[in-house]
Amino acid sequence: MANRYQTTFRNALAGLKREGRYRVFANIVRQRGVFPNADFYSDGNSRPITVWCSNDYLCMGQHPKVVAAMHEAIDRAGAGSGGTRNISGTTHYHIDLEHELADLHGKEAALVFTSGFVSNDTTLATLAKLLPGGIMFSDALNHASMIEGIRNGGMEKRIFRHNDLAHLEQLLAAADPDAPKVIAFESVYSMDGDFGPIAAICDLAEKYNALTYLDEVHGVGLYGPRGGGVAARDGAMHRVDIIEGTLAKAFGVMGGYITASTELVDCIRSFAPGFIFTTSLPPALVAGAVASIRHLKTSNVERNALHERATRLKRLMAEAGLPVMDSPSHIVPLFVGDAVLCKSVSDTLLRDHAIYVQPINYPTVPRGAERLRFTPSPKHDDAAMDRLVAALDQVWTAHKLARAA
């Protein structure tokens, strides 16, 4: 490779490192049956740690029903799916999963993708092409996958200030009344942990004849009487046109999906390159997702435990004077405000206290808003929480970080 290209790449990486934004992967293996414990590998050795930043919110990736279903599927069907959904890759497992998802959200149909990122990116980009002359109204804090989908679709867009209904209405009122409109927003914003005003946005959508597109990635499985998400909890699920979700967080496996009307889902299935031209999920993953969804439709034990754990951790952090950010959801963000310090705190916790929490830096959050994002689970017991807060107290003092006012 020509030296000038190598120099370009080297300089780009050096810039990330100077800013404290260079990402280092933690080499871990989760311990089945005793998660959130894991083995951390470094320099050819391993040692036990506690994971505090997993998106497996309910530990369903460890649940016996899920693991058994995956074993059964791989014994029956083998490792891979064998093709795209259009060419031999639609198995009976995929059909079962889409029926379960449609039922979960009270919709006519569902469509499964290889990830939540792909489901957002592909669906929003395809919607733009299906609605020529349309306008996309997007919350300022929408996930990168939604931003990419909107950009890739080329639809005219309007960004409204985060959760600002007055600003959204101002933009809707100023738009061409005959133009197709889509309002894209989230139920739980994963870095701040706040909720989207679902019912109020649906009110505006009905007033201005807009479709609603709701990302429930951090809500499905965790809220609502059957795990249908925040929209289900708020009694607004039937008012949302398109609900997108993931199988990789509360459900503990992998994949993404949308649910909507039969016609809309069929259009995405028929026109979306990100769905048509990729190999489908392996049957074992799909079977695990089905088992997880079916369990959480009838069990509130995991949901109730999660919310109790999150409430306790927030209280302990506040009592210790740590700058825990206000979050009404299960997400517990701890403010740092500097990329280099955030990385240093994370490194110190892992090295000296066997506590793993990943630093959250730009572009995931704005510069100056760097934080540690804790995701307590039903399996993080009181002793683990007490150790965490004691370690944080020591590290905060050692780094001379600001305390809560």
Side-chain angles (χ1 to χ4, degrees):
M1 185 182 294
N3 186 58
R4 65 170 180 151
Y5 297 119
Q6 291 284 63
T7 301
T8 297
F9 301 147
R10 191 178 301 117
N11 290 342
L13 292 171
L16 284 178
K17 291 175 181 178
R18 280 195 306 273
E19 296 176 31
R21 296 196 295 118
Y22 181 73
R23 301 181 184 209
V24 178
F25 294 156
N27 182 358
I28 69 172
V29 174
R30 306 201 304 172
Q31 297 176 6
R32 183 164 73 92
V34 291
F35 187 76
N37 295 331
D39 293 315
F40 172 67
Y41 288 80
S42 178
D43 299 324
N45 299 308
S46 70
R47 60 188 176 95
I49 62 168
T50 302
V51 178
W52 277 98
C53 54
S54 173
N55 281 338
D56 188 359
Y57 292 131
L58 300 178
C59 299
M60 291 302 294
Q62 308 286 309
H63 197 282
K65 289 182 181 178
V66 175
V67 174
M70 295 181 73
H71 276 296
E72 182 182 349
I74 202 166
D75 287 341
R76 180 184 180 190
S81 68
T84 66
R85 287 291 300 273
N86 193 46
I87 305 176
S88 84
T90 294
T91 71
H92 188 63
Y93 296 100
H94 293 82
I95 301 302
D96 275 353
L97 176 56
E98 288 171 346
H99 286 160
E100 289 291 341
L101 290 166
D103 171 75
L104 178 66
H105 293 292
K107 302 299 182 189
E108 293 176 349
L111 194 65
V112 172
F113 297 79
T114 51
S115 74
F117 190 106
V118 172
S119 56
N120 268 334
D121 182 7
T122 297
T123 302
L124 287 166
T126 304
L127 271 179
K129 292 175 171 56
L130 291 168
L131 300 171
I135 305 170
M136 187 74 67
F137 298 82
S138 177
D139 188 285
L141 293 189
N142 275 345
H143 189 264
S145 58
M146 302 173 77
I147 294 169
E148 283 299 305
I150 294 167
R151 180 184 294 121
N152 290 337
M155 182 183 269
E156 187 177 344
K157 64 179 181 292
R158 304 281 188 273
I159 310 300
F160 61 93
R161 291 185 291 270
H162 176 55
N163 279 351
D164 190 330
L165 295 168
H167 189 216
L168 173 57
E169 179 158 25
Q170 177 185 341
L171 295 175
L172 286 164
D176 179 353
D178 295 324
K181 301 173 183 65
V182 181
I183 305 173
F185 62 109
E186 299 185 35
S187 65
V188 182
Y189 290 86
S190 62
M191 292 302 122
D192 290 347
D194 57 338
F195 295 112
I198 298 172
I201 288 178
C202 287
D203 290 341
L204 291 176
E206 291 166 8
K207 180 177 179 180
Y208 292 95
N209 195 27
L211 284 173
T212 45
Y213 183 99
L214 175 63
D215 178 318
E216 278 269 29
V217 159
H218 293 273
V220 291
L222 306 176
Y223 299 90
R226 299 196 308 152
V230 180
R233 182 200 68 178
D234 294 351
M237 194 163 60
H238 64 287
R239 302 180 63 194
V240 179
D241 295 300
I242 308 162
I243 295 177
E244 183 269 347
T246 185
L247 306 169
K249 294 182 170 59
F251 298 129
V253 193
M254 179 184 174
Y257 65 88
I258 60 166
T259 63
S261 69
T262 300
E263 290 79 9
L264 191 148
V265 167
D266 202 12
C267 275
I268 302 301
R269 182 188 72 85
S270 301
F271 291 99
F275 175 82
I276 296 169
F277 298 107
T278 190
T279 301
S280 65
L281 288 173
L285 290 177
V286 178
V290 169
S292 184
I293 294 165
R294 286 175 177 167
H295 175 79
L296 291 174
K297 281 181 178 179
T298 60
S299 173
N300 285 309
V301 173
E302 294 83 4
R303 279 188 283 278
N304 292 340
L306 169 72
H307 296 302
E308 183 276 328
R309 295 285 81 192
T311 298
R312 184 178 191 271
L313 182 58
K314 292 173 192 176
R315 176 175 59 79
L316 290 177
M317 287 181 171
E319 289 173 352
L322 296 165
V324 58
M325 299 169 66
D326 184 30
S327 162
S329 71
H330 59 284
I331 292 166
V332 184
L334 196 58
F335 186 80
V336 177
D338 179 275
V340 174
L341 282 173
C342 197
K343 176 75 165 59
S344 180
V345 168
S346 172
D347 290 345
T348 304
L349 286 168
L350 183 58
R351 182 187 67 241
D352 297 344
H353 301 276
I355 288 169
Y356 171 43
V357 58
Q358 191 74 10
I360 305 296
N361 297 327
Y362 178 83
T364 308
V365 295
R367 288 185 173 89
E370 292 83 4
R371 67 200 64 180
L372 301 175
R373 176 183 174 271
F374 294 88
T375 53
S377 76
K379 301 296 185 182
H380 286 91
D381 61 18
D382 286 357
M385 286 194 177
D386 294 342
R387 286 194 300 271
L388 169 66
V389 173
L392 284 168
D393 186 57
Q394 291 181 33
V395 174
W396 235 250
T397 299
H399 283 75
K400 299 179 181 179
L401 289 168
R403 298 278 180 162

